[in-house]
């Protein structure tokens, strides 16, 4: 804290004007962001690793820690478990190691929930692990209280109740199926926006993105929100050679998928 | 094989004309693609999971298997090990499980080599595991003999010798550093193209992409090459809501990074 106060007093208003950073962004740059990424069998790998890859890059500038959280610790495959739509277990999969359970996860500033066909499997199994975890932790997160979902991960946020009465978006390819699944458990009056690359709602605390690759655009928007449009943020996107969509209303896929 | 002959005789030239598919593409659609993805400490996660996510999607249509290959089986982190440029082990990392070693990997049709700062670490450690594996397997791959690299993964392909006298590209953000590292071991006269999203060389058998996100565009181009511009290929890109760059010459990042 002393370090922070010194920084602020040295920087002062002059520096703020020079850099166009807010006090909150300067404070954020001084803190360690504790990230918790949730996984489950049949998660969509790019949902997770798109945002994680961007956060990995920026973690060379802004201090971060990462916990991979699931029902149990150990390997979790993105291969799709059988469910009512069919047996797609022949699809390729690889395993990511969960380091924590919902019970043992450390204090978190950010919770990241990917989607994937596994979202439907969890709901069919009446597995509310993610929903209960998000509901329990939502008011305990500190760093702007941020919970982010990619693709059908929004289904779990909706069912946790943190999107009640709020605008949100999700995957466009299976829009009707997943928004119907999402209208259950603690969900009430979620306002699903069919055309949006991402949506920032609940006083800036919840971010939902459209399908899969949209997670990269959302995390870029969140970085600019949290740290400002800094050289470090621009460098990380140029470093991964990704030209982000910076307009949250850009959504050709809502047209492609007719939602 | 009988299945294949029957298919071809039923489809005949009429079907080929209707679908604009080549015989090779129809043959490919009937086969199981055995994919081997290489990992190592400090691999760039999006290098791996961008292409894998696309292959995961298309594996619901075209049969595939996936082996994750490394020096040892078990968890491998994308966290960056210390190396001569500094200690970046504070950067966040998560673990992917290697299912096979370079010695136990099954017969493969495709070898996918991601990059990352770990590429530099391997070279500093005189670890030629990837290079020797690629060199040994190159003429044993069948399905169009395809070896693909993303980002600095091209350094390992160069050092394996399969890019000798061939055009190739790699990461633009650290172009000089990595192309210098790549000029060692079995590499001879690799023709590095500083401006390219991806390059297809060595009679179509080797594909190298630019940095990180370029791997998604490259795998999309490869899918069209291998299976044709089919509905399944279009569906998978629309499914992940990614608008691919389809021009291999598109490269704003060569300008950004001044290479």
């Amino acid at each position: 804290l002393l370090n922070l106060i010194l920084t602020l007093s040295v920087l002062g208003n002059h520096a703020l004007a020079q850099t166009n950073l807010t006090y909150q962004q300067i404070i954020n740059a001084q803190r360690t962001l504790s990230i918790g990424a949730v996984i489950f069998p049949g998660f969509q790998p790019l949902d997770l690793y798109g945002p994680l890859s961007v956060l990995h890059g920026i973690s060379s500038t802004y201090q971060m820690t990462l916990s991979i959280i699931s029902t149990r610790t150990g390997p979790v495959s993105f291969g799709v478990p059988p469910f009512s739509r069919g047996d797609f277990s022949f699809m390729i999969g690889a395993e990511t190691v969960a380091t924590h359970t919902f019970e043992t996860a450390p204090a978190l500033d950010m919770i990241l929930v990917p989607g994937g066909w596994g979202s439907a499997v969890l709901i069919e199994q009446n597995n509310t692990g993610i929903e209960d975890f998000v509901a329990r932790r939502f008011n305990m997160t500190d760093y702007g209280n941020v919970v982010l979902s990619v693709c059908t991960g929004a289904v779990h946020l909706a069912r946790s109740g943190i999107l009640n009465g709020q605008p949100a978006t999700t995957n466009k390819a299976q829009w009707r199926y997943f928004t119907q699944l999402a209208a259950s458990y603690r969900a009430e009056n979620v306002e699903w926006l069919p055309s949006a690359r991402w949506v920032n709602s609940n006083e800036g605390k919840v971010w939902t993105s459209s399908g899969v690759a949209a997670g990269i655009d959302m995390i870029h928007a969140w970085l600019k929100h949290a740290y400002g449009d800094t050289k470090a943020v621009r460098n990380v996107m140029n470093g991964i050679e990704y030209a982000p969509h910076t307009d949250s209303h850009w959504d050709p896929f809502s047209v492609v998928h007719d939602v």
Side-chain angles (χ1 to χ4, degrees), chain A residues 183-254:
Chain A
S184 55
Y185 204 44
R186 300 198 186 92
E188 287 175 24
N189 303 315
V190 178
E191 183 196 342
W192 292 107
L193 301 184
S195 181
R197 189 65 170 169
W198 71 87
V199 176
N200 179 358
S201 62
N202 207 331
E203 299 171 341
K205 294 184 288 188
V206 183
W207 297 61
T208 51
S209 89
S210 187
V212 192
I216 304 175
D217 297 328
M218 178 184 66
I219 202 73
H220 172 243
W222 180 81
L223 284 182
K224 288 198 294 185
H225 170 81
Y227 299 108
D229 189 8
T230 63
K231 195 176 167 188
V233 171
R234 290 191 294 277
N235 281 352
V236 76
M237 302 313 287
N238 285 333
I240 67 165
E241 301 189 34
Y242 181 76
H245 300 288
T246 56
D247 176 1
S248 66
H249 299 288
W250 179 85
D251 191 357
F253 299 103
S254 62

Side-chain angles (χ1 to χ4, degrees), chain A residues 36-40 67-71 98-102 105-106 108 133:
Chain A
V38 170
I39 59 174
F40 48 88
S67 307
I68 305 288
I69 305 165
S70 194
T71 305
T99 56
H100 294 79
T101 67
F102 295 120
L108 297 171
F133 176 71

Side-chain angles (χ1 to χ4, degrees), chain A residues 38 40-45 47-48 113-119 149-156 178 212:
Chain A
V38 170
F40 48 88
F43 72 96
Q44 211 293 342
D47 280 13
L48 175 72
V113 182
W117 286 113
S119 292
S149 69
V150 180
C151 194
T152 63
V155 171
H156 304 293
F178 279 106
V212 192

